[in-house]
Amino acid sequence: MKLGIDASNLRQGGGITHLIEMLRVARPGEHGFSRVVVWTDRSLAAHLPVAPWLEVMQEPLLEKPLPLRIFWQQRILPRLARQSCDVLFAPGGLSGSGFHPFVTMSRNMLPFDEREMRRYGFSWVHLRLQLLRYSQTRCFRRADGIIFLTDYAHSAVMQQVKRISGHSAIIPHGVNPRFRLAPRQQKPVTEYSAENPYKLLYVSIVDAYKHQAEVVEAVARLREKNLPVELDIIGGVADKASNQRLERAIARANAVSRCVSYHGAVSFAKLPEWYQRADAFVFASSCENRPNILIEAMAAGLPIACSRSGPMPEVLGDAGAYFDPEKPEEIAAALELMIRNPDLRESMAMLAYNRAGKFSWEECADRTLAFIARVAAQGNGAAGHQISS
């Protein structure tokens, strides 16, 4: 049996990480696949592993603007799939019409969250998200299989999609071993100072639902209480308006006491170094499917102050100090509780580290390939049926 993978709309973030990590540890032969073909652009192709069973096809149209990429996916991919594979996997949440069986993934929660979409007002971003919801809903309804990443995502997306004709499974992502770092002994706050501050880290793209500006305001409040804290923010800019808000918030905070640094985008290879240098982690997103970054921070053995929105409590469990990400006073209170209590920090860090140990890319790859193989074997026979993987 031959598996085709449509990576045409994996452009950045968790989708790329998922595909690279899954193929790095995959054992397709154990699930009946003799060959795996990936259609992608030049950038992603350069990062995919080399394996005797893997064939990477670089498609010139996938280097072109969006309309041409859509044309390739809708018109050319079905023909290529019929020639090259027995089942198609589209991890980006969309797939060209005309080929079955195919399996897709629900990765992006923004198109299915009306409250979050309203943050963008009347804009091209809002329109794009509406179009994406329409396209993904159509894709999900005709897919032979859908992979969800969390129970939360399954429930939230299905409230919008209403009905599906294929099978579904919930398969969480893993975490790369390079992020694993046993929790350190936690020191009392009295051992920190302006010269040796308690270092907070927030890693995420700068966007409306990530609430970096609120985190900066929370840290400024802690400095007003003479707590020796500093915040490092890492992540590329996805939304210009949010970046401007962040710049203003940093300017206000640093005008009183320099306590926040924004470092922009950092390569995936360098991220573990930032986790290792941090004393604690902040995650203030209000819209996620399954946040890889949060799991990386858990694996890095850090105490975590976290948004209580979306799937975050499902992922982090009892291992975090939770807050409303839109309320700087709540963020500050959660951070202060953590910073002033080294025993609490130590307990939370160990809980998070152990919880992250349950997530592996090997298991993700095995369960994903097993699910795809079962969908290929069973076809589209049971509407909305969730099968184990």
Side-chain angles (χ1 to χ4, degrees), residues 29-44:
E30 295 185 6
H31 303 282
F33 295 107
S34 59
R35 188 174 70 149
V36 177
V37 181
V38 180
W39 291 283
T40 185
D41 62 7
R42 183 172 57 241
S43 176
L44 177 53

Side-chain angles (χ1 to χ4, degrees), residues 66-318:
L66 180 60
L68 289 175
R69 300 201 303 267
I70 294 174
F71 172 80
W72 178 90
Q73 188 181 60
Q74 295 296 318
R75 297 300 181 184
I76 298 177
L77 174 62
R79 173 176 54 82
L80 295 175
R82 284 191 290 270
Q83 295 172 352
S84 306
C85 64
D86 301 294
V87 59
L88 181 67
F89 179 38
L94 295 172
S95 181
S97 58
F99 182 86
H100 288 275
F102 80 92
V103 174
T104 189
M105 288 185 72
S106 170
R107 311 196 56 86
N108 189 350
M109 285 303 302
L110 270 177
F112 298 96
D113 192 323
E114 287 284 355
R115 181 173 180 270
E116 295 294 335
M117 287 171 61
R118 285 197 292 271
R119 296 187 192 280
Y120 299 96
F122 184 73
S123 65
W124 161 243
V125 175
H126 195 157
L127 176 60
R128 183 178 63 82
L129 290 172
Q130 288 182 319
L131 292 173
L132 191 57
R133 178 173 60 189
Y134 172 77
S135 301
Q136 288 198 346
T137 297
R138 287 191 64 201
C139 180
F140 293 166
R141 285 177 176 172
R142 62 184 178 80
D144 302 288
I146 307 173
I147 295 173
F148 295 94
L149 305 183
T150 57
D151 289 318
Y152 167 83
H154 176 267
S155 176
V157 171
M158 288 306 300
Q159 285 181 15
Q160 298 280 337
V161 175
K162 304 298 183 185
R163 56 179 175 80
I164 59 175
S165 58
H167 306 290
S168 68
I170 296 170
I171 304 176
H173 284 176
V175 60
N176 192 296
R178 75 180 69 176
F179 290 99
R180 296 200 184 277
L181 183 66
R184 283 80 84 193
Q185 183 177 3
Q186 298 295 315
K187 299 181 293 186
V189 69
T190 52
E191 293 195 23
Y192 296 93
S193 64
E195 295 74 27
N196 178 37
Y198 187 85
K199 290 186 173 293
L200 301 168
L201 176 65
Y202 187 6
V203 179
S204 206
I205 59 170
V206 179
D207 210 334
Y209 63 99
K210 298 294 188 174
H211 306 289
Q212 281 95 345
E214 284 80 1
V215 174
V216 170
E217 184 178 335
V219 170
R221 290 175 181 231
L222 297 180
R223 288 301 289 259
E224 289 174 359
K225 293 186 174 184
N226 294 318
L227 282 173
V229 295
E230 280 189 1
L231 171 66
D232 287 306
I233 299 175
I234 289 174
V237 176
D239 178 64
K240 290 183 179 180
S242 299
N243 187 53
Q244 291 169 354
R245 285 191 65 230
L246 174 60
E247 289 176 344
R248 291 193 295 268
I250 292 175
R252 288 193 300 269
N254 287 344
V256 177
S257 175
R258 183 166 182 81
C259 57
V260 181
S261 297
Y262 173 54
H263 304 276
V266 170
S267 70
F268 184 74
K270 292 183 178 296
L271 275 179
E273 300 173 15
W274 284 94
Y275 289 111
Q276 290 169 13
R277 289 199 293 263
D279 294 303
F281 192 79
V282 189
F283 193 71
S285 176
S286 56
C287 184
E288 298 289 335
N289 194 310
R290 185 180 187 86
N292 287 351
I293 290 168
L294 178 58
I295 299 172
E296 291 165 3
M298 293 163 63
L302 294 173
I304 298 171
C306 186
S307 162
R308 67 168 65 95
S309 302
M312 271 61 85
E314 180 182 340
V315 174
L316 185 57
D318 296 329

